Amino acid sequence: MTTTSLLPRRAGSPATGRRRRTGSLLGLVAWLCGIAFFLPVAWMVLTSFHSETDAATNPPSVGAGISLHGYREFFGAAGGGVSPWPPLVNSLTASVVSTLLVLLLAVPAAYALSIKPVRKWSDVLFFFLSTKMLPLVAGLLPVYLVAQNAGMLDSIWLLVILYTSMNLPIAVWMMRSFLAEVPVEMLEAASIDGAGLATTLTRIVAPVAMPGIAATALISFIFSWNELLFARVLTGVVAGTSPVFLTGLVTSQGLFLAKVCAAATVISLPVLIAGFAAQDKLVQGLSLGAVK
Amino acid sequence: MPTRTTEPAPGATTAAVHRTGSPAARARRTGRAKDWARRAPLLPALVFLVVVTQLPFLATVVISFTRWNALAPDNRGFAALDNYRAVFTDPAMRASVGTTVLLTVTVVLVSLLLGLGLALLLDRGFRGRGIVRTLLITPFLIVPVASALLWKHALYNASYGLINGSLTWIWRLFGSDSPPQPDWMTDSPLAAVEMSLIWQWTPFMMLILLAGLQSRASDAVEAARMDGASAFDIFRFLTLPHLRRYLELAALLGTVYVVQNFDAVFTITSGGLGTANLPYTIYQTVYQSHDYGRASAQGVVVVLCSLLVATFALRTVSSLLREEVTA
């Protein structure tokens, strides 16, 4: 649409009219795709508000009455189930603390790699990315054995360490490109004024690179919050995270569709809210600027 | 920062250093202390990653040469290549290699193509574009286990899932009482897993490609259009070359994550019916057979295969970085 307005000479020509028609048709296609991709999520949320009998019907009961049964079951108010709060708190702790650690380690590293290029900087960068190529599962057993001997099994802090290492490589990659955008003049001015590394990082680099830091934090939070394999293997009763809790809902007591959908909705909510709120940053962050 | 030019690409400086040689001399003058100050911020992250990711892998290599089953703790010892022989002669292991390749390639290719189509659609202006983007991003933001459970129980289930339920509903509209009710997870288990993963990863691909499209300078496209180039020509000769690096990056990152997928395989089929991929197989060897030696050998084989792929992929990214330098 904007292109046609830029070309006033052509306005009204048959070609433009055709383009406008295809334009609105493509808009419609986009809307249909959007709805198709959203449909399973909409179905999950709708089912979570149904009673168990309305949830499992064929054909689907779209218009069935709203019931909070699934949520009451999930939060343990009805049926005296297991409380979901400890897993939710565990997930929050693991995700937030590991994200903070990731930033703490990635920002200086990316700073060294981008603003003051280290010799062989690209080799270092490849090393970071290559750690991401190794399937995590290949290092799982030694981690498990060490944790077992150190009495660290079923501890949320072990997950914090592992999630930090899991997200650090990608974070360094993302941060490097964001930090490359900090104007050199500002850094030179700071260096002339005698600012040290810490001051430069906190007073000059961090404010300029804030959107990038936010995007990196968001990605790191999402991947930590979502992680299942390590959490399942290394935690148990005390430190189980939300995804682990979710898998337990199905195996331990048969299937209650409304309850499972309610649980899936609640557990996805933090990521959904964060993701929706920071869509633009997500787009920016995922481009990783590696191609900027 | 005398060696730094105003060009934002950090590699440009390194390239300049090699070309002229004079900054290298300057670097020698500034001495080792400054070198260390430059490297110091890098060290914590580097040390952390080496300790947490490389040391365990080294331990995996050592364990892979030992005879060690947790169920028989007394029978421990040096096994030479026995575990590796077991891995390569185990049909289940070979099958899981094939499954991993098939699963990864299918999911990455299909979601990359879908993501490209969606990104192209979203790059145009139309009413409600922001809302459509939000709708499209949602699958990526659902916790993977939750999405796997959702597909397994609320969508695929043969007796009350949404897919078969909709078939019943549509058939009834036409007055038929015998709609097809396939059992998706037993009839086509791998496709069922792939479908849920494609749904989950298409938004990721779309986001990267959309970022790529939006970073494209619009004047070239305008000029081409003025010269009467068709939409296809513009796509073929302007958009696609510009997107190449973004496509490579999306494929690379998608592969890294999909190869390691555990959640969908574990939840939807529990690795049954030929859907066990490598991560799931290793998980099983550790937690069902308790054969630590063999699990480690499996892990090492996986890593070696990944390294082959990674070398290839990294070369792609490295060409990407070189272009950044020369850009």
Side-chain angles (χ1 to χ4, degrees), chain A residues 222 226 268 271-276 282, chain B residues 134 137-143:
Chain A
I222 291 179
N226 289 350
S268 297
V271 177
L272 277 173
I273 293 172
F276 285 158
L282 209 59
Chain B
T134 306
I137 288 175
T138 316
F140 178 62
L141 299 175
I142 298 290
V143 174

Side-chain angles (χ1 to χ4, degrees), chain A residues 3 7 31 37 44 58 60 108 115 121 126 128 132 135 138 141-142 176 226 232-233 255 268 271 279-280 291, chain B residues 10-11 14 41 49 56 60 127 133-134 144 150 159-160 165 168 181 199 222 225-226 246 260 283 287 296 302 318:
Chain A
T3 48
L7 302 166
W31 263 100
F37 267 83
M44 172 179 87
N58 186 351
I115 291 171
W121 64 280
F126 287 153
F128 276 109
K132 203 65 224 174
L141 181 66
R176 188 195 69 87
N226 289 350
R232 202 184 148 74
V233 169
L255 179 70
S268 297
V271 177
Q279 278 185 52
D280 294 315
V291 275
Chain B
T14 334
L49 268 185
T60 305
R127 201 180 284 268
R133 194 178 71 179
T134 306
L150 171 73
S159 48
Y160 53 77
T168 306
Q181 299 280 288
W199 177 74
E222 284 306 327
R225 196 166 284 158
M226 294 271 270
Y246 290 85
Q260 304 187 25
Y283 168 83
Y287 297 98
S296 298
V302 171
S318 121

Side-chain angles (χ1 to χ4, degrees), chain B residues 170-195:
Chain B
I170 293 168
W171 254 249
R172 253 184 220 173
L173 279 184
F174 294 100
S176 164
D177 266 337
S178 51
Q181 299 280 288
D183 189 342
W184 301 96
M185 284 174 298
T186 44
D187 291 351
S188 44
L190 191 59
V193 173
E194 285 167 350
M195 179 73 194

